[in-house]
Every structure is written in structure tokens, then in C-alpha cells.
Amino acid sequence: MSKLKYQTLTGMHDILPDDFIYFNRVLRAVESVARYYGFSRIETPVLEFAEVFAKGTGAGTDIVEKEMYTFRTKGGDLVALRPEYTPVIMRSYLEHGMHNLPQPVKLWYQGPCFRHERPQAGRYRQFNQFGFEVLGEQKASVDGQIIQMSYGVMKELGFKNITIEVNSIGDSECRPYFKKILTSYFKSRRSALCPDCQRRLKENPLRILDCKEEKCQRVKAGAPQIIDHLCENCHKHFKNVLEFLDELELPYSLNPYLVRGLDYYTKTVFEIVENSEDGKTQGTLMGGGRYDGLSKILGGRDVPACGVAGGMERIMNVLKTKGILRAEKPESKKAQEQKQEDAKIFLAQLGEMAKRKSMKLFEEFRAAKIPIAESFSKDSLKAQLRSADKMGAKWVLIFGQKEALEDFITLRDMETGAQKEIKLDKVVEEMREKLNSIKK
Ligand code: HAM
């Protein structure tokens, strides 16, 4: 009898008890950010109809074309091990009629994904992803919030040296024309491109911008940039997203070559990378963007959406090798849940600038571990006050145009109706004192 090989399949790995210290730490950071921002957890089967990815992720992508574990079941169905979650989350939203719920629907997940990739540092054939998806909202504030949450997870884990790379890749109105001019630029330099990019030139010239081959780097340095060719709608959206990032003081850089290797993206795309000092990098730790067209590609209604996913193993590897794991701050899940339910403060905003500033304030409250509720997707003050009333908030912090311009906030006591103004940099402290006083 031949001896059994004691080894995992190539590109696959065990998560050993010692690794779980890191695994759980990442998961807790994700969970706490998700909870704070009002995301609900979802899990879906590991197996799906292969078509979900062929259509959703895109038939011409590396993932679907080269990396998917696809097979036929005994019943004759063509299925695939999920290589990513995003099209599956949209499938689930459509299947369960989640458009009937109050919009947007905010979901988070964590579980294994499978890609038959060439194994290398930080690249596995089975790996764990976590992610946040917001479905049913087109506003730029959602893109800002998703990026802020991604950064929040990294901060929670003690990462210091990270950058957010952002770009906009337009939509069906402006991208076709950009593809045309990009193709003609690369065509005239075809021989200077690597063989893969010569092939991409026919199928998807945008992916050439993403190529890491030195040869192609030189050619793309002179290539036209999509930001200069966005339609008015995409241009405005991107400008709004950047204004949010500025307001939130997030360390981002514009990367005109960032296109991401999945077909469903529209407008904003971004990645979170670790700036490694020793040159050893795990690659991208998190990546995401807006995907307003995905629902229709899957045959559904119009569902604008935006999200991000991160690689558990890649993040764990950095935590391990760089020793940046922070000392544990014990806080039971139950206590956290209780806190969220107990949110006594509601943050209401009016107008674009106030919305941007209130997102920053929201993050400051999160860092101070003070639960507050918000309704960023609602624009009318009346609707927001109604939400505040419904959830039994004791105080509402009102952030309007005037407040945003002059850096103060109006505090309204919901029981007495009394209002007072507080300087913006004193709000967190003052609310902490108020909460302490009602505890006594
Ligand atoms: P992605 O960039 O393909 O995007 O993957 C997201 C993250 O998963 C990567 O940044 C990386 O950390 C991790 N990852 C990907 N492939 C591997 C691998 N072979 N081994 C280890 N880690 C890996 C997506 O999957 C999109 N669904 C993200 C998204 C969500 N866009 C909108 N919503």
C-alpha cells in the first residue's frame, strides 16, 4: 500500500492553534468596525452556480478564466468554489428581495475563498476573506465610508505604515471612449509590451495599466489617464469621494494605473497597501470599489453598490512578521452589543460639507468607544430626527451648513427640546461627561 502524504495541497494551508491568535484578532477588529457602522453579518454557501462568477466577476478576468475551481455535480450542475464574495452577496440580495428592506442594506462577511493561483508570498489557493458591502445607495459618502472603515480595521490592528490608493475608472458612459484612445496608444507601441499585455490589448486594454512587468511600466508611463476622460457624472462623484477622504484626513494617494482585475467596477476603485520598509510585501491587503452595474449583469434591478474585501492571511502574515499586534483590550461581544443598542446619541447632518465633517466626528466617537447612531444616507433633518426619536436617542447632535462652516455643533436634548452650541473639538469630551452623569 502506498503511504499517505502528510501534506496539504499546493497553495493550501492549515490554520494552526497559534495562528488563531492572529486570526481571531483580525476577525474581532473587522467585527467591531462592522458593528459600529451598523453592518449585519451574512454567510453564503462555498459552492455557487459557476455562472454567478462567469457573469458577475467577468468571463475575461484571470479569476474566472484561469483560477476558478469549477466542476460538474452528479446532478449535472456546473458549479464553482467561490473565488470571491461580491457577486454572491448581490445574488443573495436579489434572491431574498432585500430591496424591500430599508436601503441601503449594509452587510459584512468572513469565510474561505478559492483561486487556483500560482503560489507565492501572500497568494494562496484557499484563503479567507472578510468584507463590507453597501447595497442600494449611489452616494459618494458610501464610498468614503467604506474606505474609512477599511482604514479603521487597519488602525484597530495597530498598522501604521499604510496607504490608500484610489482611482476612478468611469462607467459605461465614459469608459468605452477611454478604452478606444488607450487601445490606439498601446497599439502604436505593441512591440514594447509583454506577451500577456499584447493579448490584453484585444480583450481588455485597461488591464495593461495594472501590469507589473518592467517593460510595460515604461510604456504606460506616457499613457492617457482615465481621470482626464471621465464624464461629468463620474467626475463629480470622484471629486466628492476625494473631498470625503480629505475631510477624514485619510492618507490616500491617487494612482491613475489602479484598475483592479474584476469586471464589475464602476467609478471608485481603491486598494490598501502596506508600505514595507524591508521591501518584503504581502501585496494588497484590502481592495474594493463601487459596482453599480453588477446587479443588472446578474439580471436584477438597478442596485448601486460599493464594498471592499480584505485577505485574512495577508494581514495575519504582516501582523506576525512585523510584530505590530497591539495588546488586547478585553471587551466582550455582549458588552459591545449592549453598548450599540444603548446608543443615546444620534448624529444628524444637513448638507454636503456637514456630512463629510460628521463622518469624521463619527470615527472620533468610535475611537473613543462611545456608541452613536447615524443615518448618513438620509438627507432631510426631519427624517433623521424621526429615526432618532424612534430609537429613543436622548440627545441629537445637529450638524448643519452653518455649524460645519464655523466648526461647532448644535446639541438638542430630545426630552426638553433645549438646544445649545458646542465647539467641534469639545464634542466628544462633553458627550462623554453627559453619558457618565446619567450613569451615576
Ligand atoms: P480582490 O482584490 O480580488 O477583491 O481580493 C480582496 C483581497 O483578498 C485582496 O486584497 C487580498 O488581500 C485577498 N486575496 C485575494 N486573492 C488572494 C490569494 N490568492 N491569497 C491570499 N489572499 C488573497 C475582491 O475579491 C473583491 N470582491 C473586493 C470587493 C468587495 N469589491 C467590492 N466589494
Side-chain angles (χ1 to χ4, degrees):
M1 247 184 18
S2 69
K3 214 175 144 197
L4 180 77
K5 275 193 204 162
Y6 296 127
Q7 69 182 59
T8 52
L9 297 176
T10 306
M12 306 223 171
H13 62 284
D14 298 322
I15 303 178
L16 297 171
D18 278 353
D19 298 323
F20 263 102
I21 299 171
Y22 298 93
F23 191 95
N24 288 335
R25 211 56 92 74
V26 179
L27 188 57
R28 272 204 294 276
V30 171
E31 214 172 351
S32 97
V33 171
R35 200 181 296 280
Y36 202 88
Y37 280 85
F39 281 59
S40 309
R41 186 161 186 177
I42 183 168
E43 183 52 309
T44 60
V46 168
L47 276 181
E48 293 277 340
F49 287 114
E51 212 187 0
V52 171
F53 307 106
K55 283 193 173 158
T57 310
T61 59
D62 284 353
I63 294 179
V64 172
E65 207 176 38
K66 303 181 191 158
E67 299 164 1
M68 212 152 65
Y69 285 87
T70 312
F71 61 94
R72 220 168 258 289
T73 62
K74 292 197 172 87
D77 289 327
L78 188 63
V79 299
L81 287 170
R82 73 174 162 225
E84 58 144 343
Y85 273 88
T86 307
V88 180
I89 301 294
M90 187 58 88
R91 189 269 302 138
S92 181
Y93 176 97
L94 296 170
E95 181 174 344
H96 300 288
M98 291 191 211
H99 61 273
N100 290 318
L101 302 172
Q103 303 294 300
V105 173
K106 304 197 269 185
L107 302 169
W108 77 276
Y109 50 81
Q110 186 276 312
C113 295
F114 303 82
R115 297 182 192 178
H116 196 272
E117 299 202 66
R118 199 161 48 81
Q120 47 185 295
R123 220 168 258 283
Y124 305 101
R125 290 183 177 170
Q126 176 172 344
F127 59 98
N128 284 274
Q129 267 194 353
F130 62 85
F132 308 118
E133 314 284 350
V134 178
L135 302 105
E137 179 57 72
Q138 59 177 357
K139 289 195 193 107
S141 56
V142 168
D143 310 32
Q145 192 171 66
I146 286 284
I147 296 175
Q148 182 180 32
M149 289 174 72
S150 311
Y151 191 70
V153 170
M154 295 290 138
K155 282 273 133 190
E156 187 82 14
L157 289 167
F159 277 80
K160 290 204 175 63
N161 227 350
I162 46 178
T163 309
I164 305 160
E165 298 191 351
V166 244
N167 194 19
S168 171
I169 54 167
D171 63 5
S172 56
E173 203 185 315
C174 47
R175 207 179 317 155
Y177 173 70
F178 178 68
K179 268 188 179 171
K180 248 190 210 161
I181 52 173
L182 196 64
T183 307
S184 76
Y185 170 83
F186 283 128
K187 258 190 185 157
S188 61
R189 295 157 180 83
R190 181 193 289 266
S191 56
L193 293 171
C194 75
D196 264 351
C197 283
Q198 294 195 10
R199 185 177 50 80
R200 284 181 187 131
L201 191 50
K202 258 201 224 132
E203 295 150 14
N204 191 353
L206 276 179
R207 294 294 314 280
I208 302 177
L209 296 175
D210 215 13
C211 182
K212 305 283 178 288
E213 290 284 326
E214 213 183 308
K215 230 178 147 184
C216 302
Q217 301 273 1
R218 279 195 295 273
V219 186
K220 75 186 190 188
Q225 299 192 351
I226 186 145
I227 324 208
D228 301 325
H229 299 274
L230 294 176
C231 60
E232 203 187 325
N233 190 10
C234 290
H235 179 83
K236 197 168 150 225
H237 187 90
F238 194 45
K239 188 171 157 270
N240 280 341
V241 173
L242 298 183
E243 281 166 2
F244 276 112
L245 302 186
D246 285 333
E247 193 61 55
L248 295 164
E249 292 173 23
L250 294 178
Y252 73 89
S253 64
L254 293 178
N255 178 352
Y257 304 125
L258 184 67
V259 291
R260 314 243 323 118
L262 305 120
D263 274 359
Y264 47 65
Y265 289 115
T266 47
K267 300 182 176 156
T268 319
V269 286
F270 73 95
E271 286 186 350
I272 299 221
V273 288
E274 197 226 356
N275 310 318
S276 149
E277 281 144 25
D278 54 11
K280 285 188 198 137
T281 161
Q282 284 289 317
T284 306
L285 301 180
M286 298 177 80
R290 179 160 279 285
Y291 47 97
D292 292 345
L294 177 59
S295 173
K296 283 205 165 152
I297 295 172
L298 294 180
R301 53 179 55 221
D302 197 6
V303 184
C306 183
V308 63
M312 298 285 282
E313 282 81 359
R314 286 194 191 172
I315 295 175
M316 285 159 64
N317 289 347
V318 182
L319 291 176
K320 266 189 216 173
T321 51
K322 309 248 159 106
I324 49 175
L325 212 50
R326 264 211 233 136
E328 184 79 321
K329 284 197 215 104
E331 180 168 45
S332 73
K333 206 164 135 190
K334 201 147 180 263
Q336 265 194 7
E337 266 169 14
Q338 191 63 42
K339 270 172 133 188
Q340 190 57 34
E341 280 162 18
D342 281 356
K344 301 240 173 330
I345 307 165
F346 188 96
L347 182 57
Q349 37 68 36
L350 260 179
E352 275 304 305
M353 193 209 265
K355 187 179 293 214
R356 285 199 301 273
K357 289 201 171 181
S358 55
M359 279 169 72
K360 185 172 181 218
L361 190 62
F362 189 75
E363 184 61 21
E364 283 167 14
F365 273 110
R366 190 185 75 78
K369 304 248 181 287
I370 299 176
I372 55 170
E374 49 77 25
S375 203
F376 288 138
S377 56
K378 293 204 171 88
D379 285 333
S380 101
L381 185 60
K382 220 167 153 193
Q384 293 180 71
L385 289 177
R386 221 179 293 130
S387 302
D389 197 38
K390 227 173 160 179
M391 54 156 285
K394 193 163 164 40
W395 297 285
V396 177
L397 293 167
I398 304 170
F399 217 174
Q401 304 276 26
K402 185 166 188 297
E403 283 89 345
L405 271 173
E406 295 171 21
D407 279 341
F408 73 93
I409 203 156
T410 301
L411 170 68
R412 181 189 175 94
D413 187 313
M414 290 295 273
E415 274 162 35
T416 63
Q419 298 202 163
K420 77 175 241 194
E421 293 176 359
I422 311 177
K423 288 238 53 97
L424 207 49
D425 54 359
K426 299 278 185 298
V427 179
V428 175
E429 226 17 72
E430 179 142 353
M431 294 319 290
R432 191 201 298 282
E433 280 165 22
K434 282 202 176 301
L435 286 169
N436 285 342
S437 72
I438 57 164
K439 266 189 223 146
K440 281 177 196 154

